């Protein structure tokens, strides 16, 4: 039976590391999770031969096999041989170009990143991770929780070596945080001290475990859903709403009886917005319509060259000069133009009028300020403005 269990563990581990290798092909930084997992598998072996076999014959070989599978899939879909994760490694690690997009303190992930993505689960995660190391009995469950905690810490530590840091880079460990948090929450709900057992028999029909479950459920909902509603419907939501407005207007033009009766091969959209501030094509799907969307230049080339000014920086520093250089003639005018309200100075608006652009929509994008006037709270918003050419 032990031999069958060992074969089952090896088979499951082989499949896991194949999938791990394929995940590296999708996103190179996932290797920061699989290296600690491989080392933990190696550390569980008692003999040197077993450690070497696990590290190289199981972890490394099947991980490499997964990378080969992932590369073959890329070849199938791209039509040519491509290894995208090597480009990511070269750009971010060897060249260090990630720092062009901002840098943070080396411990930023531990003091800001991990608490931000964990939210209300952070105390539960810290308690359960801590208990997995201090509990005297080392059962399989304790060992698994300890390994999960080590993978999380290792993943965050390896990502901390990069100067450029973002919340989304450590989001892959959030499911592991949820697992440990759930264990802590389960322990809180069902592990009831003896002093409560008497009260359970003499009190109401609702058991102590049920009361704790209801309390935990309400607490998690109240601590998470306000943030969810704010981030999903208020904070920087204008970039999605404005795209939906563009899609609706294109659909109206292309509808039978609309302006689309005249041949219109494609629609051009210019986003005069900050870097990476729009979802772009993910919300610009209209059946049978070709859309050509363009954003301002935020490329590493202009960021790395001190003598070159990126288009996004030029727009915010001198909107009037940018508009005159970008749209020298009316023939350069797009079908739709999206611009932030703070960049819409009188000179820019006059230029857009000369280009034949008409303001057709203004949507709320994000909260600018919260003020209290005469004891009454008020909120001011930053807006995104949509212009459309006169077809």
């Amino acid at each position: 039976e032990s031999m069958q269990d060992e074969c089952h563990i090896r088979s499951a581990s082989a499949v896991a590391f194949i999938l791990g290798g394929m995940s590296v092909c999708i996103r190179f930084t996932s290797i920061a999770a699989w290296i600690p997992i491989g080392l933990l598998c190696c550390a569980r072996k008692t003999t040197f031969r077993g450690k070497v076999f696990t590290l190289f014959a199981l972890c490394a070989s099947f991980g490499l096999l997964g990378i080969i599978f992932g590369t073959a899939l890329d070849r199938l879909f791209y039509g040519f041989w491509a290894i995208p994760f090597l480009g990511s490694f070269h750009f971010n690690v060897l060249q260090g170009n990630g720092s062009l997009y901002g840098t943070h303190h080396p411990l930023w992930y531990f003091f800001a990143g991990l608490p931000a993505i964990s939210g209300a689960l952070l105390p539960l995660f810290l308690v359960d991770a801590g208990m997995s190391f201090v509990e005297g009995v080392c059962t399989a469950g304790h060992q698994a929780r300890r390994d999960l905690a080590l993978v999380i810490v290792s993943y965050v530590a390896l990502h901390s070596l990069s100067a450029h840091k973002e919340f989304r880079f450590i989001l892959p460990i959030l499911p592991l945080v949820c697992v440990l948090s759930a264990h802590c929450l389960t322990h809180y709900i069902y592990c009831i001290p003896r002093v409560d057992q008497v009260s359970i028999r003499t009190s109401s029909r609702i058991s102590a475990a049920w009361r704790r479950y209801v309390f935990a459920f309400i607490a998690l909902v109240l601590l998470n859903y306000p943030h969810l509603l704010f981030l999903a419907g208020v904070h920087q939501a204008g970039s999605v709403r404005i795209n939906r407005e563009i899609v609706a207007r294109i659909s109206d033009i292309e509808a039978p009886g609309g302006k689309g009766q005249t041949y219109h091969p494609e629609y051009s959209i210019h986003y005069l917005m900050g870097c990476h501030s729009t979802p772009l094509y993910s919300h610009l799907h209209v059946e049978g319509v070709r859309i050509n969307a363009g954003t301002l230049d935020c490329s590493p080339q202009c960021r790395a060259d001190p003598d070159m000014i990126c288009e996004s920086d030029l727009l915010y520093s001198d909107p009037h000069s940018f508009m005159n250089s970008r749209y020298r003639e009316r023939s350069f005018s797009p079908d739709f133009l999206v611009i932030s309200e703070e960049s819409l100075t009188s000179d820019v608006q006059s230029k857009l009028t000369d280009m034949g652009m008409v303001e057709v929509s203004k949507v709320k994008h994000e909260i600018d300020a919260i003020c209290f006037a005469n004891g009454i709270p008020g909120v001011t918003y930053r807006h995104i403005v949509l212009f459309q050419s006169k077809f």
Side-chain angles (χ1 to χ4, degrees):
E1 184 177 354
S2 61
M3 183 66 68
Q4 291 180 348
D5 292 340
E6 183 68 20
C7 292
H8 175 72
I9 292 174
R10 287 185 180 180
S11 300
S13 300
V15 173
F17 279 98
I18 289 175
L19 295 175
M22 296 181 68
S23 72
V24 172
C25 289
I26 298 173
R27 187 167 185 84
F28 169 74
T29 52
S30 64
I31 198 173
W34 290 101
I35 288 178
I37 292 174
L39 293 177
L40 287 171
C41 292
C42 177
R44 286 188 175 185
K45 302 301 179 180
T46 56
T47 64
F48 177 77
R49 181 180 179 181
K51 293 179 185 294
V52 173
F53 176 84
T54 300
L55 187 60
F56 293 99
L58 181 62
C59 302
S61 61
F62 284 102
L64 181 60
L65 185 60
I67 293 177
I68 294 174
F69 283 164
T71 305
L73 285 175
D74 285 336
R75 172 67 178 84
L76 176 65
F77 286 99
Y78 285 128
F80 55 87
W81 289 106
I83 311 179
F85 70 90
L86 288 183
S88 175
F89 176 77
H90 179 262
F91 180 86
N92 292 285
V93 178
L94 297 183
Q95 293 185 329
N97 285 332
S99 59
L100 297 174
Y101 294 89
T103 59
H104 289 87
H105 189 276
L107 299 179
W108 184 83
Y109 276 138
F110 288 99
F111 293 107
L114 187 59
I117 69 167
S118 302
L121 299 179
L122 182 63
L124 301 175
F125 161 68
L126 293 178
V127 169
D128 196 75
M131 292 300 294
S132 67
F133 285 94
V134 300
E135 289 174 348
V137 181
C138 187
T139 63
H142 294 154
Q143 184 67 43
R145 288 158 50 211
R146 190 178 305 160
D147 290 347
L148 284 180
L150 289 173
V151 170
I152 293 172
V153 173
S154 301
Y155 188 90
V156 176
L158 288 174
H159 275 72
S160 297
L161 298 177
S162 173
H164 178 60
K165 300 176 177 64
E166 295 184 30
F167 292 119
R168 62 188 178 97
F169 292 166
I170 58 172
L171 278 178
I173 63 169
L174 184 56
L176 304 185
V177 172
C178 292
V179 170
L180 295 181
S181 302
H183 182 271
C184 180
L185 198 59
T186 303
H187 187 273
Y188 162 75
I189 293 173
Y190 292 106
C191 293
I192 305 170
R194 284 189 176 182
V195 66
D196 289 342
Q197 298 293 338
V198 178
S199 63
I200 292 174
R201 295 191 296 268
T202 58
S203 62
S204 62
R205 298 177 181 178
I206 303 177
S207 66
W210 178 250
R211 290 198 301 271
R212 292 186 178 193
Y213 173 83
V214 171
F215 170 77
F217 177 81
I218 294 175
L220 288 176
V221 168
L222 293 178
L223 290 173
N224 285 286
Y225 270 80
H227 307 81
L228 172 64
L229 296 174
F230 172 74
L231 294 174
V234 179
H235 182 63
Q236 296 183 351
S239 56
V240 176
R241 293 194 186 104
I242 210 74
N243 278 4
R244 291 174 179 171
E245 177 70 20
I246 294 174
V247 168
R249 291 184 172 275
I250 293 177
S251 300
D252 290 341
I253 296 171
E254 295 295 322
K259 297 180 181 179
Q261 290 180 335
T262 60
Y263 178 66
H264 204 283
E266 69 176 31
Y267 291 86
S268 59
I269 306 172
H270 288 184
Y271 291 89
L272 306 187
M273 304 278 293
C275 297
H276 315 295
S277 59
T278 173
L280 211 60
Y281 288 107
S282 60
H283 290 267
L284 288 176
H285 298 291
V286 182
E287 185 176 358
V289 174
R290 182 179 178 182
I291 296 176
N292 182 17
T295 60
L296 300 179
D297 182 22
C298 302
S299 63
Q301 288 77 13
C302 73
R303 288 174 176 267
D305 189 352
D307 298 326
M308 186 177 179
I309 302 178
C310 293
E311 288 183 338
S312 57
D313 297 330
L314 181 60
L315 172 66
Y316 286 106
S317 61
D318 192 353
H320 180 64
S321 298
F322 171 81
M323 295 296 295
N324 286 332
S325 61
R326 179 72 178 268
Y327 304 103
R328 293 186 295 272
E329 300 178 10
R330 183 166 178 170
S331 59
F332 296 161
S333 302
D335 298 314
F336 295 93
L337 187 142
V338 181
I339 188 170
S340 57
E341 191 176 30
E342 54 264 29
S343 300
L344 193 59
T345 62
S346 58
D347 292 336
V348 172
Q349 193 149 11
S350 176
K351 178 65 176 179
L352 292 173
T353 302
D354 295 339
M355 292 165 54
M357 307 293 293
V358 180
E359 181 179 335
V360 292
S361 181
K362 179 189 289 187
V363 300
K364 297 176 181 177
H365 184 49
E366 60 185 350
I367 293 177
D368 184 34
I370 300 176
C371 56
F372 291 87
N374 300 323
I376 301 175
V379 180
T380 58
Y381 292 89
R382 294 178 180 174
H383 294 80
I384 297 177
V385 185
L386 173 64
F387 286 83
Q388 181 177 346
S389 67
K390 299 177 182 179
F391 287 97

